Amino acid sequence: MKRYIGLLMATSATLSGCVNMAPDHVRPELSTAATFDSSSRPDGTVTAAQLSWREYFNDPQLKAYLAEAIENNRDLMAATARIAQAQAQYRIQDSQRLPNIIASGNVSRNRTPINGTDGVTTASSDRYDVGVGVSSYELDFWGRVANLSEAARAEYLATVAAQRAFYLSLIADVASTYLELEETQEQIELSQATAETRREGLRIAKVRLDAGVTSALDYQQAQVLLTQAEQALAGQKLTLAQTQNRLTVLVGGELPTNVPESEYTVGEQIFPGPLDAGLPSDLLLSRPDIIAAEERLRAARANIGAARAAFFPSISLIGSAGFASDDLDGLFSGDSFTWNFGPSINLPIFDAGARSAQLKLSKAREAEAIANYDKTVQTAFREVSDALAGRRWIGEQVETARREVEAQGRIARIANLRYREGVSNYLEVLDAERNLFSSQQRLLQVLRLRDQNNVSLFVALGGGFE
């Protein structure tokens, strides 16, 4: 019996998978430029894909939030669970490539009436059966089962890559939200300091009004300045609460309280670099979303092979071997050995076009997968190009914003001095203070944008995964 089972499995493995009708998997040609724009791509010294997020970020508070998010984010948990599902689905499908061997045992007792000369009598008999068998194992001559297994494997690998892509996206979202939170807190500090300064200005305007030095108009203008600062402060506190709520969802629960204080203000974050952009072709190996799109294309082509194989006859084997006896003591004797073996063949003749439609559907899905792959590559190229451009031009914006704050500060000091000396009216101070406050707000915004652009470039180049 052992020799029979071994022979059956060897024959099955030899005969199956003789032909593969799936199209050869060829990676589509790049639909982007061969290199990134050199005008916005300074030479880099660090490869993003070789750095984990722990190595790239230095802010201890941000690292604590990132660790919490990776541990507790519900969407990441769901993406990880989908990996286990896809892996199990692949194992189920791949198991069809080998015979399913089952062992069985049966005991029966029969009572049969017998008509004799003395009337009706009964006879009893026992039946014992034990054996192993193979039930309907398909000989995969045309590669149908093998291609279905390959498609399931590619879908599993695509799910793994998709989970990694979400992992990197989560890192980018947490880091960006944290930087926005830091900027909002500094905006609040700026508004509070500005409001204090303007309260003092309002007090001075009141003293001058009471002394008859100035008119009520100057006092009302000072009050408008204070109101504007207080209104900005209220809006920023609302933004702070909303940003904290968004960060709470990303982290997956309450924000951890036992984390070290941040050592960096907006614009003072330290990142390794500059990052080396490499070539667009490098993204094919470092971007998990591109890897996932290619695996889905591989799965679509394997399904074409399975659809083509359905046009050919399918041959299945059914067999079993074991022992059968009416006597339990003699069940395993040589005379009790029994076996049966029989192939079956199914030849498609007429199916109302179902197989043709299935093949067309598989080819259409391949075309869709190619388009999705191209779009994913183009999107990756755009994200890297945008971040590279931001590295240069946002840096210039920071420098001009700083010069603007310095110039507006000088103007505000001169305007206040002129007003106190009675050379100008308070309208000049009003404009100068308002412009200074706006320029200080813009500086904080572009500083945050510069840090956020460093995060975007890091993730766009495939960095961050542990």
Side-chain angles (χ1 to χ4, degrees):
M1 184 169 60
K2 293 180 179 179
R3 290 195 299 269
Y4 167 78
I5 296 173
L7 179 62
L8 177 61
M9 295 184 64
T11 304
S12 302
T14 303
L15 294 177
S16 63
C18 297
V19 179
N20 189 350
M21 296 187 175
D24 292 335
H25 177 70
V26 179
R27 183 178 293 164
E29 294 183 2
L30 282 177
S31 54
T32 60
T35 59
F36 295 107
D37 183 9
S38 59
S39 63
S40 60
R41 187 172 62 88
D43 292 334
T45 57
V46 178
T47 302
Q50 296 178 354
L51 292 178
S52 71
W53 61 267
R54 296 184 189 274
E55 297 170 309
Y56 188 70
F57 297 108
N58 291 302
D59 190 320
Q61 194 171 45
L62 173 57
K63 293 171 75 170
Y65 288 156
L66 285 169
E68 193 77 12
I70 292 171
E71 182 71 22
N72 296 318
N73 183 269
R74 299 305 188 268
D75 290 330
L76 184 59
M77 289 181 180
T80 304
R82 285 193 289 271
I83 291 179
Q85 296 172 33
Q87 185 183 46
Q89 200 66 36
Y90 164 55
R91 288 180 175 176
I92 292 171
Q93 184 60 56
D94 194 55
S95 67
Q96 303 301 313
R97 302 182 66 178
L98 293 175
N100 184 14
I101 301 176
I102 58 175
S104 63
N106 182 51
V107 178
S108 63
R109 183 176 179 84
N110 299 317
R111 181 176 181 274
T112 305
I114 301 175
N115 295 321
T117 57
D118 297 334
V120 179
T121 61
T122 61
S124 300
S125 64
D126 298 326
R127 178 74 175 181
Y128 302 92
D129 296 278
V130 63
V132 294
V134 176
S135 59
S136 189
Y137 169 65
E138 180 178 349
L139 295 179
D140 197 21
F141 284 110
W142 324 111
R144 188 187 73 86
V145 178
N147 278 312
L148 290 176
S149 176
E150 174 62 19
R153 175 181 178 275
E155 289 290 349
Y156 160 60
L157 295 177
T159 306
V160 173
Q163 186 263 4
R164 178 178 175 180
F166 182 82
Y167 182 101
L168 299 184
S169 175
L170 177 62
I171 290 173
D173 288 343
V174 172
S176 298
T177 305
Y178 173 79
L179 292 173
E180 185 178 342
L181 186 67
E182 289 288 294
E183 183 214 338
T184 304
Q185 289 173 338
E186 293 194 30
Q187 292 278 12
I188 289 175
E189 293 174 2
L190 172 62
S191 296
Q192 289 173 336
T194 302
E196 284 297 321
T197 302
R198 292 181 180 180
R199 286 191 188 95
E200 178 63 18
L202 181 63
R203 186 190 66 80
I204 295 173
K206 177 63 175 174
V207 171
R208 292 170 65 89
L209 175 63
D210 294 341
V213 179
T214 59
S215 65
L217 179 61
D218 290 347
Y219 176 75
Q220 295 299 327
Q221 289 172 335
Q223 200 164 30
V224 168
L225 270 181
L226 176 60
T227 303
Q228 290 174 342
E230 291 174 340
Q231 184 178 10
L233 181 60
Q236 288 156 0
K237 288 183 177 180
L238 173 61
T239 301
L240 179 66
Q242 293 172 338
T243 307
Q244 287 175 331
N245 293 336
R246 189 164 70 250
L247 186 59
T248 299
V249 173
L250 291 172
V251 168
E254 293 294 328
L255 296 179
T257 56
N258 57 341
V259 297
E261 291 293 331
S262 174
E263 301 175 1
Y264 309 99
T265 61
V266 173
E268 294 181 350
Q269 296 287 336
I270 300 175
F271 303 100
L275 296 176
D276 182 15
L279 298 174
S281 57
D282 297 334
L283 296 178
L284 305 183
L285 302 177
S286 60
R287 288 272 302 223
D289 54 344
I290 297 178
I291 295 173
E294 184 178 358
E295 290 298 336
R296 292 191 179 100
L297 175 57
R298 194 189 304 271
R301 286 171 171 165
N303 283 325
I304 290 178
R308 286 173 174 171
F311 285 90
F312 294 86
S314 63
I315 301 175
S316 299
L317 296 180
I318 300 175
S320 65
F323 298 91
S325 175
D326 294 336
D327 184 6
L328 182 60
D329 293 336
L331 177 61
F332 296 101
S333 64
D335 294 337
S336 299
F337 181 71
T338 180
W339 61 269
N340 70 77
F341 174 80
S344 64
I345 182 169
N346 292 317
L347 179 63
I349 297 177
F350 176 75
D351 61 1
R355 287 178 175 83
S356 297
Q358 183 64 44
L359 180 58
K360 289 180 181 179
L361 175 62
S362 300
K363 290 182 177 180
R365 286 175 174 168
E366 181 200 21
E368 180 186 7
I370 292 174
N372 288 336
Y373 177 84
D374 287 339
K375 179 63 181 296
T376 304
V377 172
Q378 291 172 359
T379 300
F381 182 87
R382 177 187 60 79
E383 290 175 353
V384 174
S385 298
D386 288 347
L388 289 173
R391 183 163 65 179
R392 175 178 178 180
W393 302 116
I394 295 178
E396 292 192 7
Q397 288 181 23
V398 169
E399 295 305 317
T400 56
R402 281 176 172 158
R403 292 198 298 269
E404 180 187 5
V405 169
E406 293 173 358
Q408 292 293 349
R410 290 192 295 268
I411 293 173
R413 288 191 295 271
I414 294 172
N416 276 283
L417 181 61
R418 285 168 56 85
Y419 172 70
R420 291 177 182 179
E421 293 178 353
V423 178
S424 63
N425 58 28
Y426 202 75
L427 182 61
E428 187 176 300
V429 177
L430 179 69
D431 288 338
E433 291 287 348
R434 186 163 47 222
N435 292 335
L436 174 61
F437 185 48
S438 298
S439 63
Q440 289 171 329
Q441 288 179 314
R442 284 194 295 271
L443 175 59
L444 288 175
Q445 290 172 355
V446 295
L447 286 173
R448 190 259 301 171
L449 287 176
R450 185 181 65 179
D451 288 343
Q452 189 167 324
N453 187 76
N454 284 324
V455 175
S456 299
L457 179 59
F458 176 60
V459 174
L461 292 173
F465 191 76
E466 288 186 301

